[in-house]
Amino acid sequence: MSESGEVAAVETPVIIPETGAMDLTTATKLVLKKALIHDGLARGLHEAVKALERRAGLVCVLAGNCDEPSYVRLIEALCKELQVNLIKVNDQMELGEWCGLCKYDEEGNPRNVVKCSCAV
């Protein structure tokens, strides 16, 4: 605080990643990370369906190796009905890591990754 009682504004540096050519996988990781930071990520079937029905989701990410066909049909039907973009990724473990469902060791490698089939 200064002598007049005003609070001085402190600017924090904003880190912007390289905006070069980005593939779908990198863009999906970035979007999920930002949504997780801002508490806007619904993970799992129950949370995803609630978010889709509230029309709170702009994009839905579904794992391609989901072993429950009714799960896949439900998410695909909801996305089609509510006109939400659907992105399919290859692996549940990757999606779980991207959604923050893991712990990291000292070197920054993911450990104890929990599988995630859907995120909105």
Side-chain angles (χ1 to χ4, degrees):
M1 290 178 82
S2 64
E3 294 176 12
S4 63
E6 295 178 13
V7 177
V10 177
E11 292 185 29
T12 57
V14 177
I15 300 172
I16 300 173
E18 297 277 335
T19 58
M22 208 186 288
D23 63 338
L24 184 63
T25 305
T26 308
T28 304
K29 285 182 194 178
L30 186 63
V31 166
L32 289 174
K33 186 174 182 178
K34 283 185 179 183
L36 181 64
I37 290 170
H38 295 289
D39 198 29
L41 188 62
R43 301 168 286 196
L45 179 65
H46 186 69
E47 288 183 22
V49 169
K50 284 183 1 183
L52 287 171
E53 288 180 343
R54 277 194 323 257
R55 299 180 191 273
L58 299 175
V59 66
C60 180
V61 184
L62 182 65
N65 64 346
C66 182
D67 54 354
E68 186 65 39
S70 61
Y71 187 105
V72 175
R73 283 196 315 262
L74 173 66
I75 295 297
E76 288 176 346
L78 278 173
C79 288
K80 188 174 182 179
E81 178 185 337
L82 301 173
Q83 298 172 349
V84 175
N85 296 325
L86 180 66
I87 298 174
K88 288 192 178 182
V89 296
N90 293 333
D91 192 24
Q92 292 175 330
M93 296 294 271
E94 282 182 349
L95 185 57
E97 181 182 339
W98 298 347
C99 291
L101 296 174
C102 64
K103 297 195 184 260
Y104 293 96
D105 60 6
E106 294 83 26
E107 290 85 31
N109 299 322
R111 299 183 46 96
N112 301 334
V113 180
V114 177
K115 293 180 183 177
C116 181
S117 295
C118 183
V120 177

